Amino acid sequence: MSNLRKGKSMLLANGSRRGSVTPPISKSHLHRLLIADFLGGRQDRGKDAKEDPDDILATKRCLRALASTAEEPVLDCGESGSTARFIRPIAAALGKRPQYVLRGRLAQRPSIDYERLSPGTFELPGNVSSQFATGLLFALPLLKGDSQIIFTSPMQSRGYIDLTLEVLQNSGIVIRETENGFTVAGNQTYIAPLKTLPEIDWSGAAFWLAMNKLGSEIEVNGLNPDSKQPDKKVIELLSQDGGNKDMSQCPDLFPALAVASAGTPCKTTFTKIERLRIKESNRVEAVAKLLAALGIKTEESESTFTIWGQAAPFTPNAIIETSSDHRIAMSAAVAASYSTKPVEIDNAECAAKSYPNFFNEFNAMK
């Protein structure tokens, strides 16, 4: 199967796929391992690698800058929300006063600035991003006194917090969970952990698994069924035809699941979608546009998104606008695998944010 490039656009050949893939390593896991390595004095995997997605390159770049003697290093976070939200409190705990470079929509996404970081009580909304809590969980053990994190609303994306706690435990850091948050002792020392290998990414695997739901036969290798990555829930959610699907704990799955649901002849309602509007794009709006271009009826409210799926393959009627969002671009490939004709997307290059080789692998399949 071939593709035709028109500037940044790409024409994706239609039809089901057959083949075998190994998705990239989990960004979520590797971000955390890199930070733990850095704080434990280990630097052997901080060099850039050819296969690194853009977000991982951003974290490596920022950690190298923090390792310098400069009191006001320039930290280029690229478009990575994880990098910015993890690094800010760590830099403050280390006594740095960085200049931050935020690209794309990152400057408009929710953030917390820390000019100084002192021991105390930190109140966080649990329904905005678990990344704020992860940043504090890494930073607070470095302070001279004890601290508390208190969630003012129910915590979403709990699996990402569990992933953080696992990495911290392996680095010798003790965190005590409370009824509504965590207590973090100060004056702790990170130990250089054994070189834990990052897991394969369940969120990247989701696109191939969604294609399988629509009739492709793709072997997806390397996934850890016991992973704490919340996106492993994709297996359970893809097995359910129609009904309600709660996105509060795994919002990154929404685009792939939405396309899979559009190709299933029943009504599916995604609930607790509020945070999807503050991702790399407004993913509710972007997915609505994608499905409209496939001729699929949808309806949204503040907290829900409903899809009326169909059994027949999609018949695209317009170019897919990716909003420069990697997950929207890859979801368009899911659509192409169940389409009567090729699907054109306006920007394939944005997939490099999380899965640089995705479209090469997709186009190589027969």
Side-chain angles (χ1 to χ4, degrees):
M1 295 182 180
S2 62
N3 59 279
L4 300 174
R5 289 186 178 274
K6 299 179 181 178
K8 291 185 178 181
S9 70
M10 179 180 285
L11 193 65
L12 304 173
N14 58 300
S16 59
R17 262 50 182 183
R18 307 287 184 273
S20 176
V21 295
T22 300
I25 57 177
S26 164
K27 289 191 307 166
S28 298
H29 197 199
L30 185 52
H31 280 302
R32 290 160 171 79
L33 293 175
L34 288 168
I35 291 170
D37 283 356
F38 168 76
L39 294 174
R42 183 175 191 152
Q43 301 177 9
D44 56 327
R45 59 176 155 199
K47 295 181 180 179
D48 295 348
K50 181 180 178 181
E51 65 275 12
D52 283 340
D54 291 346
D55 284 6
I56 291 299
L57 291 173
T59 289
K60 289 183 175 182
R61 189 166 59 234
C62 289
L63 292 176
R64 287 196 297 267
L66 277 182
S68 72
T69 58
E71 290 186 9
E72 299 183 4
V74 176
L75 302 185
D76 183 351
C77 300
E79 297 185 35
S80 174
S82 296
T83 302
R85 291 165 180 167
F86 295 169
I87 291 293
R88 283 183 186 273
I90 293 169
L94 295 173
K96 302 284 189 176
R97 299 189 303 274
Q99 302 174 45
Y100 290 98
V101 178
L102 309 177
R103 304 183 187 277
R105 269 175 54 100
L106 184 54
Q108 283 77 52
R109 295 172 67 185
S111 66
I112 301 175
D113 294 329
Y114 299 94
E115 290 187 11
R116 297 183 182 86
L117 196 64
S118 302
T121 298
F122 298 83
E123 294 189 347
L124 296 174
N127 62 344
V128 176
S129 176
S130 64
Q131 293 169 349
F132 296 124
T134 284
L136 285 172
L137 287 169
F138 274 113
L140 296 179
L142 302 171
L143 304 181
K144 295 187 180 300
D146 299 347
S147 299
Q148 278 191 311
I149 298 173
I150 296 176
F151 294 106
T152 58
S153 60
M155 193 190 326
Q156 298 186 6
S157 295
R158 169 68 203 221
Y160 289 113
I161 298 291
D162 291 339
L163 193 60
T164 300
L165 295 173
E166 181 179 69
V167 171
L168 286 168
Q169 182 179 26
N170 291 338
S171 301
I173 300 299
V174 177
I175 306 290
R176 186 169 67 86
E177 186 162 4
T178 63
E179 183 178 354
N180 59 352
F182 299 97
T183 296
V184 185
N187 294 302
Q188 297 194 60
T189 300
Y190 280 80
I191 61 172
L194 295 174
K195 190 172 181 179
T196 304
L197 294 177
E199 296 180 352
I200 295 299
D201 184 29
W202 275 95
S203 68
F207 302 99
W208 307 114
L209 297 172
M211 291 181 209
N212 286 346
K213 174 72 173 179
L214 296 178
S216 290
E217 297 178 7
I218 302 167
E219 182 181 4
V220 185
N221 301 309
L223 294 168
N224 176 11
D226 298 319
S227 173
K228 288 185 167 55
Q229 295 178 56
D231 293 323
K232 74 176 182 180
K233 193 175 178 64
V234 65
I235 296 293
E236 175 187 338
L237 292 172
L238 282 173
S239 71
Q240 301 169 355
D241 290 344
N244 293 342
K245 299 183 189 294
D246 182 345
M247 291 290 97
S248 63
Q249 303 302 320
C250 49
D252 285 344
L253 294 178
F254 172 65
L257 290 175
V259 177
S261 298
T264 304
C266 50
K267 176 183 172 182
T268 304
T269 298
F270 293 89
T271 63
K272 299 183 180 178
I273 63 169
E274 292 90 340
R275 283 191 299 152
L276 289 162
R277 295 186 174 90
I278 54 174
K279 292 289 189 176
E280 286 86 338
S281 68
N282 177 337
R283 284 190 179 149
V284 178
E285 179 181 38
V287 167
K289 288 181 178 179
L290 187 160
L291 296 183
L294 300 175
I296 300 297
K297 177 186 175 184
T298 65
E299 181 177 283
E300 69 176 88
S301 69
E302 181 180 353
S303 61
T304 66
F305 186 86
T306 299
I307 298 170
W308 283 266
Q310 62 183 38
F314 306 127
T315 304
N317 55 46
I319 187 171
I320 302 296
E321 298 177 23
T322 64
S323 301
S324 296
D325 187 325
H326 55 134
R327 299 198 192 280
I328 302 301
M330 291 185 283
S331 295
V334 178
S337 77
Y338 193 64
S339 174
T340 60
K341 59 183 181 180
V343 171
E344 186 174 2
I345 59 175
D346 66 359
N347 184 358
E349 296 172 7
C350 62
K353 190 174 194 296
S354 63
Y355 201 151
N357 206 38
F358 177 83
F359 284 107
N360 289 334
E361 294 176 358
F362 179 81
N363 289 322
M365 288 187 185
K366 305 296 184 182

